[in-house]
Amino acid sequence: MIKKKISFKLNEQEVEVEVETRELLAHVIREQLGKTGTHIGCDTSHCGVCTVDLNGNSVKSCTILAVQADGGEVMTVEGLATNGELHPLQQAFIQDHGLQCGFCTPGMLIRSYRLLQENPSPTEEEIRVGLSGNLCRCTGYQNIVKAVKTAAEKM
Amino acid sequence: MPTLAGDVQAVLADEKVHFQYQEVAAVIADNRYIAADALDLVEVEYEPLPVIVDPHRSMDADAPILREDVVKKDKVGQGPRKHANHIFTWAVGDKEGTDRALASADVVVKEDMLYPRVHPSPLETCGCVASFDKIKGNLTVYITSQAPHIVRTVVSILSGVPESKIRIISPDIGGGFGNKVGVYPSYVTAIVASIVLGRPIKWIEDRMEHLSTTAWARDYHMTGELAADKDGKIKALKVKVLADHGAFNSHAQPTKWPAGLFSVCTGSYQVPVAHVNVDGVYTNKAPGGVAYRCSFRVAEAVYLIERMMDILSQKLGIDKAEIRSRNFIQAEQFPYKTSLGWELDSGDYPTALKKVLDAVDYAGLRKEQAEKRAQGELMGIGLVTFTEIVGAEPSKACDVLGVGMFESAEIRVHPTGSVMARMGTISTGQAHETTYAQIIATELGLPSEEITIEEGDTDTAPYGLGTYGSRSTPVGGAATAVAARKVRAKAKKIAAHLLEVSEDDLDWEIDRFKVKGVPGQEKTMKEIAWAAYNNVPEGMEMGLEAVDYYDPPNFTYPYGVYLSVVDIDKFTGEVKVRRFYALDDCGTRINPMIIEGQIHGGLTEGFAVAMGQEMPFDEEGNLLGNTFMDYFIPSFVETPQWETDFTVTPSPHHPLGAKGVAESPHVGSIPCFTSAVVDAFAHLGVTHMDLPHTAQKVWKKIHELGLDKRD
Ligand code: FES
Ligand code: FES
């Protein structure tokens, strides 16, 4: 198998890793770099639990190769909190009961983060459309929408 | 390997593969990429054999025998069997009496309905890491299980390793919904591989494997007959079910209940006599038959009776709210013994129904519907007034592998008044940590921030049967309350000793014991906790802790009234849910925020089942759709807005009056959606449409009725 050394910024830290060119970003982030907040839930790019931020865009890390991140900037859910303080989105998810089992939550958070960068005060409709690439089996979405609104107001 | 239902199931198939995607070989490798490469090198040659896909054909005289390995057995779980592909017959009720009532009733309505095969599909698939220590002989398994203690027992029986040397750890898991109760072949493979190799072995399923091989739900082919007089008073109910169990009988039901609690199908109504007959059969499909966010077969039971009530209402021209009212069990009749043997604990159905009808302006909706119909538009109103049965279960009635279905809690109060509590249940997102801590905080007057709840590690937690069937609050919550009360009873003795009074002189107030009539003479729980470790009455053991194994005297019976309004596009068949109003009565409400969250989630899963989930097979038994591309998981965009409401009718036998809630919204919403969709066509003589109500299927009905003509 062809291996390649790649480096990128992961949550503002420079990392260097050797990967097979066929390896998916999600696997490298989880298994080589130990950031297990990024989950994997499907084989068809539908569920969004693997969502990370790459160069300022939300991407499904199960659907791109790790080598495509070479030289880029990646943010995972672990990068949201700063100096031990939870991000307003994380606080709002707790306060508004925006998670139950929590499996979808890292993807929801990192996608919501980008959504609010793009649109700091989204309407309910805009939140629903903006997050429609992320599935949840537990919450029925209502409290996630509420949490994103709460966070938008606080940010 | 043995299944939980008394059959045997191949870990890796030899000689014969019984369903598409059945496991035949395993590859162990250093990482998933190498394993995938190696898997490509495995070549399996299959010789096609005749298959049975339609369960109605399983017991044909010329049907191929699917399971030669059990052909001679008269039992594979519950017997006796009447055909090589037959698994069990289960009948309950008064057959002659029911037939007599049917024959002499003013009206009888009859309907065939299919509750299709659906998959719980939690967002996290199944997986485990098995690690066997060859030197010490200890086996540790990290596993996504809703029932870790049962897994330990099963693993011990299978492997011969004593239970004391097996540690099952079910950490935070990404949803379960009934799918993660059983023991799957791949868990066994990983464990065996670890025992053989002496190294940790990890198995993580992908979505396709998950949908194709792990436990699905329903697949009940039901026929209901409901008899009534001309005023709509029910006289009898007769139900026949053909249950497709797939290739192995490995549904997860209590041992004595092959059709689970299906006989709760008389619902919220006074049904003088009833009879139920269920036959289970083999087909060439994956094994399963679990309770997808419901108690054992209760979703099927509720669907059946709520559909039959609608059909009766149509037949007699009596409104569906009115016909339900006429047949309700009344508040003063509780506890109410049903004709199929259940004792419903408490309820006030008329009040709940009235509250919902008022809240949505039911009369106004019916008026609007009449206007819409006059204009040729399709609007439907769905209504259900259902009763669930949860809290599995009194051990005299139910067991798994012979282990009674109690639940357990162990509470330790430390000298400084902080608490460590462990339960035999396991949260899959229901926030047990919050609810249990709240129960303990309330019972003991200690701050919930200082209460740690731990579940899911069989080395530390007391034995419990796990979390499914909405049993955590009804049974685990009860165990927690009783254990806390045992702690408080001891604390009272210590308080009396410290205050030098008799126990009878003490009153409990929030967080302390006070001497009656003497202000200021009191001991807080924190003070008592400290004293428990240095100054206890003579003859008393030091320490402040208690364990309770709670065996409930009865099930609990939460109920609800749901109303939905749908608008259907005549040209596309698309069903738009305009409104969904859900009133639940789950008895005492311990934490309203968590209850609401559970209801939102349950309604959304109900919406998924009603509007799109199914697992179709072609004639050769190929599963058509085992990815999220085909299998419907509603997103933010399709999911309706939910309106919730409640009444509170406590359970008389639960220590806190709580009944459990997480499953009601799933169980209740599905027939409510069907009720609404059918209602849109009711004026055209349509009485029933099978699940799921996809645009394509609804459009077909529209087209058949000639409603999509453009003029
Ligand atoms: S794992 Fe499902 S979209 Fe990436
Ligand atoms: S919280 Fe469980 S999948 Fe979203």
Side-chain angles (χ1 to χ4, degrees):
Chain A
M1 279 307 141
I2 309 158
K3 292 211 170 193
K4 187 173 163 19
K5 227 182 215 144
I6 60 168
S7 58
F8 56 90
K9 265 199 175 154
L10 178 62
N11 302 328
E12 297 186 347
Q13 305 252 320
E14 202 60 48
V15 293
E16 200 184 74
V17 337
E18 196 178 54
V19 301
E20 288 183 24
T21 49
R22 61 178 177 169
E23 266 185 278
L24 299 175
L25 181 59
H27 290 145
V28 171
I29 288 174
R30 285 179 57 80
E31 287 162 20
Q32 295 219 48
L33 299 168
K35 296 279 181 261
T36 54
T38 302
H39 295 161
I40 296 172
C42 72
D43 329 319
T44 48
S45 307
H46 280 84
C47 74
V49 301
C50 60
T51 307
V52 301
D53 207 73
L54 173 64
N55 302 330
N57 290 308
S58 296
V59 299
K60 290 180 169 171
S61 64
C62 71
T63 312
I64 64 167
L65 298 167
V67 289
Q68 289 175 275
D70 196 12
E73 272 185 48
V74 176
M75 181 158 117
T76 65
V77 70
E78 288 91 346
L80 274 179
T82 38
N83 305 324
E85 179 138 344
L86 292 181
H87 189 274
L89 269 164
Q90 291 170 307
Q91 286 170 11
F93 268 62
I94 296 173
Q95 181 202 310
D96 292 334
H97 194 34
L99 69 153
Q100 290 180 24
C101 80
F103 197 72
C104 69
T105 313
M108 291 288 177
L109 286 167
I110 209 80
R111 172 61 200 136
S112 304
Y113 166 81
R114 182 48 54 197
L115 177 76
L116 293 185
Q117 300 287 314
E118 291 160 354
N119 178 357
S121 48
T123 62
E124 152 122 29
E125 180 72 16
E126 286 166 343
I127 295 171
R128 284 190 178 260
V129 173
L131 296 184
S132 60
N134 292 65
L135 299 176
C136 173
R137 290 292 281 143
C138 303
T139 64
Y141 303 111
Q142 215 151 303
N143 288 341
I144 298 181
V145 174
K146 195 167 150 197
V148 174
K149 270 200 194 142
T150 303
E153 278 158 24
K154 293 223 172 105
M155 280 164 68
Chain B
M1 65 184 210
T3 69
L4 291 182
D7 197 357
V8 285
Q9 170 174 2
V11 175
L12 297 174
D14 56 355
E15 287 181 32
K16 188 169 174 182
V17 166
H18 289 87
F19 62 94
Q20 188 197 20
Y21 294 107
Q22 188 181 351
E23 299 85 343
V24 290
V27 169
I28 317 287
D30 281 344
N31 71 45
R32 67 171 72 244
Y33 289 83
I34 299 173
D37 289 344
L39 216 49
D40 280 346
L41 302 176
V42 177
E43 262 180 50
V44 185
E45 266 180 44
Y46 294 100
E47 172 202 340
L49 298 173
V51 296
I52 299 176
V53 178
D54 176 2
H56 293 280
R57 281 213 42 229
S58 293
M59 292 201 283
D60 285 357
D62 60 348
I65 293 172
L66 303 190
R67 294 281 307 280
E68 289 84 357
D69 60 322
V70 294
V71 91
K72 294 223 172 65
K73 287 194 184 169
D74 68 335
K75 266 173 92 166
V76 278
Q78 293 82 10
R81 302 163 67 209
K82 51 191 183 201
H83 185 287
N85 297 329
H86 182 239
I87 305 173
F88 66 87
T89 298
W90 186 71
V92 61
D94 173 358
K95 187 160 189 310
E96 283 78 49
T98 304
D99 285 337
R100 241 180 292 129
L102 285 169
S104 62
D106 293 346
V107 355
V108 178
V109 286
K110 184 172 178 181
E111 191 70 56
D112 293 327
M113 52 188 94
L114 167 64
Y115 213 134
R117 179 177 285 228
V118 290
H119 198 284
S121 224
L123 212 43
E124 176 197 43
T125 58
C126 297
C128 72
V129 177
S131 179
F132 185 69
D133 181 329
K134 281 200 169 186
I135 309 294
K136 290 194 193 141
N138 286 352
L139 173 68
T140 306
V141 187
Y142 292 83
I143 188 170
T144 53
S145 174
Q146 293 173 243
H149 299 269
I150 294 285
V151 170
R152 188 181 68 188
T153 303
V154 172
V155 169
S156 174
I157 292 170
L158 284 177
S159 65
V161 178
E163 264 190 282
S164 56
K165 289 189 172 244
I166 300 174
R167 181 177 186 188
I168 306 292
I169 301 172
S170 189
D172 285 344
I173 57 182
F177 315 121
N179 172 264
K180 293 175 179 169
V181 175
V183 175
Y184 294 122
S186 301
Y187 295 148
V188 177
T189 309
I191 290 168
V192 171
S194 179
I195 292 174
V196 172
L197 299 171
R199 293 181 56 174
I201 301 294
K202 176 172 168 180
W203 167 68
I204 305 288
E205 216 176 30
D206 65 28
R207 179 60 55 184
M208 202 187 273
E209 291 163 338
H210 183 72
L211 280 166
S212 315
T213 66
T214 65
W216 45 269
R218 323 278 149 86
D219 218 339
Y220 255 32
H221 303 243
M222 309 185 278
T223 304
E225 285 178 87
L226 188 62
D229 67 16
K230 56 183 186 326
D231 299 324
K233 279 290 270 181
I234 298 170
K235 294 294 171 198
L237 172 69
K238 185 172 174 175
V239 188
K240 258 182 100 64
V241 180
L242 182 65
D244 182 345
H245 279 223
F248 305 100
N249 188 32
S250 68
H251 64 147
Q253 313 288 342
T255 310
K256 289 177 220 133
W257 303 87
L261 314 174
F262 183 80
S263 54
V264 77
C265 63
T266 52
S268 312
Y269 315 107
Q270 302 185 45
V271 179
V273 60
H275 187 257
V276 172
N277 187 97
V278 183
D279 280 296
V281 295
Y282 289 127
T283 58
N284 288 108
K285 297 181 209 162
V290 293
Y292 171 7
R293 204 174 181 133
C294 67
S295 277
F296 315 111
R297 300 294 188 189
V298 175
E300 292 90 327
V302 166
Y303 190 80
L304 179 109
I305 184 65
E306 290 302 320
R307 288 307 306 133
M308 293 313 293
M309 292 306 284
D310 273 16
I311 295 165
L312 181 65
S313 115
Q314 273 177 266
K315 172 92 176 181
L316 290 169
I318 300 171
D319 181 83
K320 55 177 136 183
E322 175 60 26
I323 201 145
R324 287 173 162 83
S325 278
R326 288 186 196 177
N327 288 289
F328 274 151
I329 298 160
Q330 297 298 315
E332 61 279 6
Q333 289 176 286
F334 289 95
Y336 180 86
K337 188 110 186 172
T338 73
S339 46
L340 292 178
W342 302 106
E343 190 180 290
L344 309 193
D345 58 351
S346 64
D348 181 355
Y349 305 142
T351 303
L353 176 61
K354 182 164 185 317
K355 202 171 176 200
V356 170
L357 297 183
D358 289 348
V360 300
D361 181 19
Y362 186 62
L365 283 173
R366 282 290 178 210
K367 197 163 148 261
E368 184 196 340
Q369 186 186 39
E371 287 160 15
K372 289 251 161 86
R373 280 177 178 171
Q375 292 157 14
E377 285 172 43
L378 296 170
M379 165 182 167
I381 302 167
L383 180 71
V384 293
T385 53
F386 66 95
T387 294
E388 234 215 320
I389 172 172
V390 307
E393 1 263 31
S395 65
K396 60 180 186 297
C398 300
D399 68 85
V400 172
L401 289 176
V403 180
M405 297 194 73
F406 59 83
E407 205 40 77
S408 61
E410 177 197 276
I411 299 175
R412 292 185 188 166
V413 184
H414 304 136
T416 52
S418 69
V419 174
M420 171 59 92
R422 296 188 171 99
M423 287 78 185
T425 49
I426 165 79
S427 178
T428 53
Q430 300 91 335
H432 291 174
E433 301 84 346
T434 309
T435 302
Y436 288 156
Q438 201 181 327
I439 293 172
I440 296 171
T442 311
E443 294 289 334
L444 295 183
L446 291 168
S448 55
E449 317 81 74
E450 293 174 22
I451 300 173
T452 301
I453 304 292
E454 214 183 81
E455 305 176 294
D457 182 342
T458 58
D459 259 15
T460 55
Y463 202 103
L465 278 275
T467 293
Y468 40 87
S470 259
R471 55 194 305 286
S472 296
T473 297
V475 198
T480 305
V482 173
R485 285 171 194 179
K486 287 181 185 170
V487 168
R488 199 168 76 192
K490 181 169 182 185
K492 190 174 188 183
K493 290 198 167 65
I494 299 172
H497 161 73
L498 296 174
L499 294 160
E500 297 177 357
V501 294
S502 108
E503 276 188 69
D504 297 340
D505 296 328
L506 293 176
D507 275 337
W508 169 255
E509 201 181 287
I510 303 172
D511 66 343
R512 63 196 64 200
F513 285 103
K514 291 181 151 184
V515 180
K516 284 182 186 146
V518 191
Q521 279 289 77
E522 57 187 38
K523 287 287 168 197
T524 65
M525 202 64 188
K526 284 218 165 186
E527 290 169 320
I528 298 166
W530 187 258
Y533 291 87
N534 58 44
N535 182 7
V536 295
E538 185 129 342
M540 181 185 272
E541 281 179 17
M542 291 266 181
L544 195 54
E545 57 184 66
V547 185
D548 189 68
Y549 286 79
Y550 187 80
D551 187 3
N554 189 3
F555 294 81
T556 58
Y557 296 85
Y559 59 94
V561 175
Y562 293 175
L563 188 138
S564 57
V565 184
V566 302
D567 298 298
I568 300 179
D569 186 311
K570 276 200 297 189
F571 301 108
T572 64
E574 194 192 353
V575 178
K576 261 219 124 11
V577 179
R578 187 204 305 179
R579 193 160 187 198
F580 198 102
Y581 196 93
L583 178 146
D584 276 283
D585 192 319
C586 59
T588 307
R589 293 160 62 84
I590 297 171
N591 187 313
M593 182 183 79
I594 292 170
I595 292 173
E596 288 273 297
Q598 288 296 313
I599 292 172
H600 291 170
L603 292 173
T604 306
E605 288 193 350
F607 172 74
V609 170
M611 294 307 174
Q613 293 189 340
E614 66 180 326
M615 310 190 77
F617 290 82
D618 71 9
E619 278 159 24
E620 261 129 42
N622 297 303
L623 176 51
L624 308 171
N626 51 3
T627 68
F628 280 170
M629 194 115 63
D630 301 292
Y631 192 69
F632 179 51
I633 307 287
S635 78
F636 275 93
V637 176
E638 296 93 24
T639 304
Q641 273 285 342
W642 309 112
E643 296 172 73
T644 57
D645 196 353
F646 61 93
T647 54
V648 177
T649 312
S651 168
H653 64 77
H654 185 279
L656 303 168
K659 288 186 170 186
V661 75
E663 299 172 345
S664 296
H666 177 98
V667 165
S669 65
I670 297 164
C672 189
F673 285 116
T674 303
S675 177
V677 172
V678 173
D679 193 63
F681 301 96
H683 57 304
L684 304 167
V686 176
T687 53
H688 178 70
M689 290 159 73
D690 270 335
L691 295 165
H693 309 300
T694 57
Q696 190 201 11
K697 276 173 71 184
V698 173
W699 177 83
K700 268 194 189 153
K701 177 60 78 184
I702 292 170
H703 191 66
E704 187 185 303
L705 295 166
L707 304 174
D708 57 342
K709 297 210 175 63
R710 292 183 198 261
D711 27 45

